[in-house]
Amino acid sequence: MKAKPTSFDIAQLAGVSQPTVSRALSGSASVSEATRKRIEAIARQLNYTVDKHASSLRRRQSNTLALLFFEDPTPDQSLINPFFLSMLGTITRTCALRGYDLLTSFQQMSSDWHVAYEDSHKADGIILLGYGDYEEYRARLDMLIAQGTHFVRWGSVQPGEPGTVIGCDNRRGGADAAAHLIAGGRRRIAFVGQASSHYPEFNERYRGACAAQSAVDIVPDPALQVDALNTQQAGFEAVRTLIARGARFDALFAASDTIAIGALAALAEAGLDVPGDVALVGFDDIPAASLTHPPLTTIAQNYLAAGEVLVDTLLARIRDEPVTSVVLPGRLVVRRSSEG
């Protein structure tokens, strides 16, 4: 019987060393794209498969990544931000392509999640999605760094933030949302969402919207900003609060699509037409955004790229390669809620 092909066979045919083959097949950025493709082609020709168990024993690794979701208030009791669910498929697929299993877990921020995974060898590294109040979350991130845990997270990319962060350009997205509303003739833009350091992504979106208004000599009115957590009910109640104040606004920028959907219901209850009386823009482009009545204009976050970058950045950290935080651009998606 023909012996099972080995990485040494691939190395001989590719004209490289065996460690280069191992690095290429594990997705290491230290191997050039041309060399990696040549090695992968030879591996396919030989029907070579990586023995993940043996490889793990040699490196004392589990060949598993952990994806930790943190609870977020939702009306369906799933407690998972719908935007993160959109990212799950890409994360899972990228792990499989890189030869890793994915352990998915739901966590409460109050638990000892920060010591439960890498220390017990359940996973070689952690992807963190969601965090609630960032001021409480940050202390746990500092502890992860102190204990040498390999992790990467989705969030607001700011100077001095702990760890490696992958996130959307929230300020640019907020500016694009406001600029779109201004281009449609809107002058009094309300903002619904938390605008403080406790919720940095929402805060950046608000600051971007304010900057876009200031750029055309519109003075942002603080009375048109109402705090809201990332739920439909919070969006509904925040808009009710705006209306009860007697606030005059002809546009509304919601910090998320989930908030925007609640805002849409409150505007309808008050007899305000969208977009005739109030133009509405959300953020995220979750699947439900295109199904509202009217369909929701939003800033789309690139969840396909996000999942891949999160996994590849974490794998680079596990290999002790240099990594940097990454800002991904958002994209304005115009639908009926802001037209007219």
Side-chain angles (χ1 to χ4, degrees):
M1 293 181 64
K2 187 176 180 179
K4 181 179 178 180
T6 69
S7 59
F8 291 94
D9 297 326
I10 297 173
Q12 182 176 13
L13 291 170
V16 298
S17 67
Q18 188 275 336
T20 298
V21 171
S22 296
R23 287 195 296 271
L25 296 179
S26 67
S28 172
S30 64
V31 179
S32 72
E33 182 74 6
T35 300
R36 181 181 62 78
K37 287 184 176 180
R38 185 168 77 254
I39 289 170
E40 287 177 345
I42 294 171
R44 286 193 297 271
Q45 291 169 7
L46 297 179
N47 292 319
Y48 174 83
T49 57
V50 177
D51 186 340
K52 293 197 292 183
H53 179 67
S55 177
S56 297
L57 288 176
R58 286 194 300 270
R59 296 175 302 181
R60 302 188 70 180
Q61 292 182 339
S62 66
N63 264 89
T64 299
L65 302 183
L67 172 62
L68 272 58
F69 290 104
F70 293 93
E71 60 183 7
D72 215 345
T74 56
D76 62 1
Q77 301 303 309
S78 68
L79 299 179
I80 297 177
N81 185 327
F83 171 68
F84 294 146
L85 290 177
S86 299
M87 208 185 288
L88 177 59
T90 307
I91 292 174
T92 304
R93 184 171 62 254
T94 304
C95 283
L97 291 172
R98 305 296 186 262
Y100 275 74
D101 294 323
L102 183 67
L103 173 64
T104 303
S105 180
F106 178 76
Q107 299 290 317
Q108 292 182 320
M109 192 53 66
S110 58
S111 69
D112 288 332
W113 58 270
H114 57 296
V115 296
Y117 283 85
E118 196 169 2
D119 282 0
S120 61
H121 303 291
K122 290 180 181 178
D124 302 328
I126 305 171
I127 298 171
L128 304 174
L129 297 182
Y131 51 82
D133 187 326
Y134 180 71
E135 296 294 340
E136 297 177 8
Y137 174 67
R138 176 162 182 157
R140 302 293 183 91
L141 298 178
D142 291 334
M143 294 177 72
L144 286 179
I145 292 171
Q147 66 192 29
T149 300
H150 299 111
F151 75 95
V152 64
R153 62 188 177 88
W154 178 265
S156 178
V157 182
Q158 298 294 320
E161 291 295 315
T164 305
V165 192
I166 312 301
C168 181
D169 191 342
N170 293 291
R171 188 176 294 206
R172 180 72 262 170
D176 288 347
H180 168 69
L181 292 167
I182 293 166
R186 312 293 172 153
R187 307 294 292 179
R188 292 189 58 78
I189 302 172
F191 179 84
V192 177
Q194 297 280 347
S196 75
S197 61
H198 293 271
Y199 298 88
E201 289 170 283
F202 284 7
N203 192 37
E204 284 296 294
R205 293 168 195 178
Y206 176 60
R207 293 175 67 184
C210 289
Q213 292 173 78
S214 298
V216 292
D217 298 323
I218 297 175
V219 179
D221 186 350
L224 296 182
Q225 186 272 319
V226 181
D227 286 343
L229 296 175
N230 190 32
T231 69
Q232 292 181 32
Q233 185 63 32
F236 181 82
E237 292 174 356
V239 172
R240 269 187 160 182
T241 297
L242 269 175
I243 293 170
R245 286 178 184 171
R248 294 184 303 103
F249 59 98
D250 57 9
L252 193 152
F253 173 34
S256 74
D257 290 344
T258 304
I259 292 172
I261 291 169
L264 190 61
L267 292 168
E269 180 190 69
L272 295 171
D273 178 69
V274 175
D277 298 315
V278 178
L280 178 63
V281 176
F283 204 109
D284 288 337
D285 199 24
I286 62 174
S290 64
L291 303 176
T292 57
H293 181 72
L296 183 64
T297 294
T298 187
I299 301 296
Q301 301 197 71
N302 190 342
Y303 63 86
L304 295 175
E308 185 171 346
V309 173
L310 281 164
V311 172
D312 285 341
T313 301
L314 179 56
L315 293 179
R317 285 198 64 86
I318 291 169
R319 294 189 296 261
D320 293 324
E321 296 172 359
V323 296
T324 59
S325 294
V326 177
V327 178
L328 299 173
R331 177 174 58 90
L332 176 67
V333 178
V334 178
R335 300 192 180 104
R336 180 69 184 129
S337 71
S338 66
E339 294 181 325

